[in-house]
Structure formats: C-alpha cells, structure tokens
Amino acid sequence: MIYRTGDMALYTVRDVFKNAVNDVVICQDQASQARPYYVLVAVKERETAKALLSIFQNNARDMEEEPYIACFSHGEQLCYLFPYHIERNLEAFSEGQINSPVERERVCINITLACLSSPLPYPLLYLLLDQKQIHIEKDNTVFFTPYFDLRELDPKTDESACAVRCVYLLIDILQKQSRKPLKSLNLLHKKLLSRSYKCFTEVYRDIRITALPEKKPKLFRRLRAWWGRNKDLLFKIILVVSVFCTIVALTMLMSYLIFGDFSLFRLLGGSIDKIGTEEINTK
C-alpha cells in the first residue's frame, strides 16, 4: 500500500499488526533519495480517531516538539507518522545484557527518564508502557516504539496512572536475578502499596537516591575496554615494528650473500680492537 502526504510517497514494507481499530506499519519514503523509514499508525475506527485528535490537541505535557512527524488522512483513515528506530525489545535483550544490580537500576532510571522526556500524551504513553513497547540500546539507554494498539485507548489516563504502570515494570526488572532485595526495590514496593506515586519525578527521585553506587569495572573488563579503544593504534605499531624487522632481516641476508658473513653484526656488535696499526684491548 502507498500513503501520500506532502512530497512523501510512503510504501509499506512491513505490517507490525492490524486490527479492527488501527493498523501499524513500517513505511519507506521512496520519494526521498535517502529512503528513510517511518512508523505509520492508521486509525480506522471513527470514534477512536476523534478521541486521538482530541488527545493530541489537549496534550497537557506542554512539550516543545510534536510527538509525531505528520498527521494526514488516507481515504477514511486518520494517519500519524512517527520516526522509526530498529527494535531491540527490552524483554528480548535484557536477560543477556543486564547482568548486575547496578545495571538493572541504571536501566530503570533510563526508563523513567524516557517517560519524563517523551512528548507523547499520557494516554498514549500508558499504552506503550502497558504493551511493553520499550527498547534498549547496547549502552542501556531506552527508547519507545509507537506501536499503539488503540483498542485499549483511554483518553482519561493521566500521569499518575502512567507512573504507577511504570513502577510495576521497574519492579519486574529489579527483582530479576536478585539474591537480596535492593533498597530501590523495597522503596518502590512500599510506596506502590500506599498509592503514593503521582508523577514520574517522584519515581525518578526514589530510584536515584536508593540506587547502588556504580563500581569500577573489574580488571578484565577494563583491559577489554582499553583494548577496544587502542587496538587500531597497537596494530599500527606492530605493523611498523614488523616492517622494520623484515627490512633488517633482508639486509642481513643480502650482506651474507654478498660478503659471506653478517657485516651488520660486526658494525653493531662487539668492540673495536684495532684502529690502523694500533692494537686496542691487547692482553
């Protein structure tokens, strides 16, 4: 299928999912030389489209940037265009990537920061958290993918509901592979039971003040990191030394073939015993 808006020709390259309310597809703009990819959310159900328009128009987050690139109609569908990022779903990559309590707390902090900085209205942010559209980079930074299943959209969802849903996710991350309860985990549990969370800044503050201090990596990790930073320079040094040794070896070989001995050794090694007719170091 082709979607058109402005000077963009958006060709569908992959269907993320389709249902009676909305479709989510990955598109490529073939009108651009760069051929960029985008996420397109096509709303098919009329009441949901009206609710979504109202949510974006009355976005209480007051962010400077728009949460979407473009909004346009395609036939009877209301379409929203979002940036595309290669997926690295948190659930799929966390087990092999997050290996310590410090890293788990750091990921939780990054998730909270991503929620704080997201320009999405709270009803849509809640959907991403609830539907676990959370992705993790190799450096443990976090981003969301706008794969909204709008069948569960509730326009009344506020920041408090988002913060509570976020805390449930953080607790699930913090309690994995934990030999002893973390202070951050205990505090989140306690305040969740008392229904104390009203905003993301409270969640961020509680994790931040109870998080374990970041320790220096072990010697092996530091050596591996040092090797990663300096391997190109070391390779160049080894290459220069190898070339020099090769030149010396060839020079010695040529000396032996021409003079019958290794003249270079006589120049570089031993002491000078005779200068002209004078003997030196005579016994």
Side-chain angles (χ1 to χ4, degrees):
M1 184 177 291
I2 305 174
Y3 298 85
R4 297 186 183 276
T5 177
D7 58 354
M8 303 174 76
L10 303 166
Y11 285 71
T12 300
V13 296
R14 176 164 68 92
D15 294 328
V16 178
F17 65 80
K18 293 188 174 185
N19 58 49
V21 175
N22 72 288
D23 299 339
V24 175
V25 297
I26 308 300
C27 295
Q28 186 180 38
D29 181 12
Q30 296 194 6
S32 169
Q33 291 184 351
R35 299 288 194 273
Y37 290 92
Y38 299 96
V39 179
L40 188 141
V41 179
V43 187
K44 298 179 285 187
E45 204 272 326
R46 183 170 297 181
E47 293 302 317
T48 302
K50 290 180 180 179
L52 200 56
L53 282 170
S54 177
I55 287 170
F56 279 119
Q57 289 173 359
N58 301 301
N59 185 2
R61 304 203 66 177
D62 296 326
M63 296 288 186
E64 293 183 1
E65 61 175 314
E66 291 286 352
Y68 53 83
I69 296 172
C71 175
F72 60 95
S73 60
H74 177 79
E76 296 184 356
Q77 299 178 356
L78 176 66
C79 299
Y80 287 93
L81 197 65
F82 296 89
Y84 171 75
H85 299 283
I86 298 175
E87 300 95 331
R88 294 187 88 251
N89 190 271
L90 177 64
E91 288 192 329
F93 284 88
S94 61
E95 185 173 348
Q97 183 168 326
I98 308 173
N99 301 312
S100 70
V102 173
E103 289 179 335
R104 289 199 298 274
E105 288 180 330
R106 171 51 56 185
V107 169
C108 289
I109 290 172
N110 290 341
I111 291 174
T112 310
L113 288 173
C115 291
L116 280 166
S117 61
S118 172
L120 287 170
Y122 292 122
L124 293 176
L125 180 59
Y126 182 89
L127 288 183
L128 294 187
L129 294 172
D130 190 56
Q131 296 165 8
K132 297 184 178 179
Q133 298 297 338
I134 307 171
H135 300 258
I136 185 170
E137 298 281 14
K138 293 181 180 180
D139 62 355
N140 289 339
T141 55
V142 170
F143 64 94
F144 302 122
T145 49
Y147 301 163
F148 308 108
D149 184 348
L150 296 175
R151 290 176 297 180
E152 302 173 14
L153 179 66
D154 181 1
K156 297 180 180 179
T157 303
D158 58 7
E159 185 177 5
S160 177
C162 290
V164 170
R165 189 67 189 88
C166 179
V167 170
Y168 277 110
L169 290 172
L170 303 187
I171 288 174
D172 185 55
I173 294 170
L174 291 172
Q175 65 188 6
K176 286 181 179 179
Q177 303 175 353
S178 183
R179 296 180 181 178
K180 58 181 181 179
L182 300 169
K183 291 182 180 179
S184 55
L185 176 61
N186 289 336
L187 182 57
L188 291 177
H189 260 305
K190 182 178 179 180
K191 297 191 71 172
L192 187 61
L193 292 173
S194 63
R195 301 180 180 275
S196 299
Y197 287 117
K198 302 298 180 185
C199 60
F200 285 112
T201 53
E202 295 175 357
V203 181
Y204 174 78
R205 179 198 61 204
D206 287 349
I207 302 177
R208 193 70 182 179
I209 63 176
T210 56
L212 295 169
E214 295 191 17
K215 299 178 180 179
K216 290 184 177 180
K218 295 181 179 180
L219 178 60
F220 177 75
R221 288 191 177 184
R222 294 205 301 271
L223 289 174
R224 187 169 61 180
W226 181 86
W227 168 255
R229 292 192 303 269
N230 298 284
K231 60 183 179 181
D232 291 339
L233 176 61
L234 291 174
F235 176 77
K236 291 178 181 178
I237 293 174
I238 293 172
L239 181 62
V240 170
V241 172
S242 299
V243 170
F244 175 77
C245 292
T246 302
I247 293 173
V248 171
L250 290 173
T251 303
M252 292 172 60
L253 178 61
M254 293 298 294
S255 173
Y256 179 78
L257 293 175
I258 295 172
F259 300 107
D261 65 352
F262 295 105
S263 301
L264 186 62
F265 278 167
R266 291 192 286 112
L267 292 175
L268 300 179
S271 59
I272 299 174
D273 296 328
K274 186 175 181 179
I275 299 177
T277 59
E278 297 294 328
E279 295 286 342
I280 303 176
N281 294 333
T282 55
K283 296 182 179 179

